[in-house]
Amino acid sequence: MTPEPTPAEQEEPSAADAAPRALPGEETGVDLSADLLHRAALGDEDAFSRLYDETAPQLFALIRRVVRDVAMSEEVLQEVYVEVWRQATRFDARRGSARSWLCTIAHRRAVDTVRSSEAARRRDSEDGLLTLEQQVVDVQEEGIMRVESGRVRQAMRTLTSAQSEAIRLAYFGGYSHREVAALLDIPVGTAKTRIRDGMIVLRDRLGVTS
């Protein structure tokens, strides 16, 4: 006859009972962030809170790399999660991961903040365009050329949007090549090339020699 188990043996938990419970999605290999995002889209505040805890450090690092200012980066991060809460139903896992979707929102918000800040700076420092019309700075050679306003407008229109954006940041914002690269999220070499090539076009259109 098999002896009956003792009380201690009856109460001893099995290995399965003792193991920590898997988080939602871990057992099936589903993206945890995507699972939490889908639940947040249904109004699950607890899931949204966990999503914040899971992803906020990564998004804050991305935002700060673009915005640079810590306090402003924190404000942008909060704006990002307000948008995520409102737009969670638009996430489509078939088009990419949840983290990629969140990073896209965060990067766009950060860039918009920088551009808005730069626009305010231009308004506060008289008329940035008028200044550019009077003086075009060659960032690469640090040469200064004085030209007529109409010709400058026409010359600027011949630049690509990438060249124009890089030159305006370098001129209006006074940023270095490395800072322009960080603001536009491009390699430093690419920023230098856009500024150099753009200034070559401007000098050619304006008939100015270095």
Side-chain angles (χ1 to χ4, degrees):
M1 177 180 297
T2 303
E4 295 184 1
T6 64
E9 293 175 336
Q10 292 177 335
E11 295 176 358
E12 183 178 355
S14 65
D17 292 333
R21 294 183 178 179
L23 295 174
E26 289 183 339
E27 295 178 348
T28 59
V30 175
D31 180 6
L32 174 60
S33 297
D35 177 74
L36 294 174
L37 190 56
H38 282 308
R39 288 161 55 190
L42 299 175
D44 188 332
E45 296 183 2
D46 289 337
F48 182 74
S49 179
R50 290 187 60 191
L51 177 69
Y52 180 94
D53 293 339
E54 288 281 342
T55 60
Q58 178 184 3
L59 298 192
F60 180 76
L62 184 156
I63 293 168
R64 186 176 179 185
R65 184 159 58 90
V66 177
V67 177
R68 296 185 300 172
D69 181 80
V70 175
M72 187 177 295
S73 297
E74 292 173 345
E75 292 180 5
V76 173
L77 182 66
Q78 297 308 312
E79 293 173 0
V80 166
Y81 280 99
V82 169
E83 181 175 350
V84 169
W85 174 256
R86 293 174 177 173
Q87 305 295 333
T89 55
R90 295 189 177 183
F91 169 66
D92 185 352
R94 294 171 298 181
R95 301 179 62 181
S97 71
R99 285 183 182 268
S100 295
W101 188 74
L102 293 170
C103 286
T104 298
I105 294 176
H107 184 265
R108 185 181 68 246
R109 279 275 183 175
V111 171
D112 287 347
T113 297
V114 171
R115 289 174 176 170
S116 177
S117 178
E118 288 305 311
R121 182 183 299 183
R122 289 197 294 270
R123 289 194 298 269
D124 293 341
S125 61
E126 302 181 348
D127 185 358
L129 182 56
L130 177 60
T131 302
L132 181 61
E133 292 168 355
Q134 298 171 342
Q135 187 180 63
V136 177
V137 175
D138 187 333
V139 178
Q140 192 71 10
E141 301 176 3
E142 298 182 357
I144 300 177
M145 304 173 293
R146 296 188 177 279
V147 293
E148 297 176 355
S149 62
R151 296 175 62 212
V152 172
R153 287 194 180 95
Q154 293 177 357
M156 288 295 291
R157 293 193 189 102
T158 65
L159 301 178
T160 65
S161 59
Q163 291 170 346
S164 177
E165 187 174 30
I167 288 176
R168 288 179 183 278
L169 276 176
Y171 179 75
F172 288 117
Y175 291 112
S176 66
H177 291 155
R178 187 175 299 279
E179 291 170 334
V180 170
L183 290 170
L184 298 180
D185 197 25
I186 57 176
V188 176
T190 301
K192 291 181 178 179
T193 298
R194 291 181 183 180
I195 294 171
R196 183 193 66 232
D197 292 349
M199 294 310 301
I200 290 175
V201 173
L202 287 180
R203 286 200 299 269
D204 180 66
R205 295 293 181 179
L206 296 171
V208 179
T209 57
S210 57

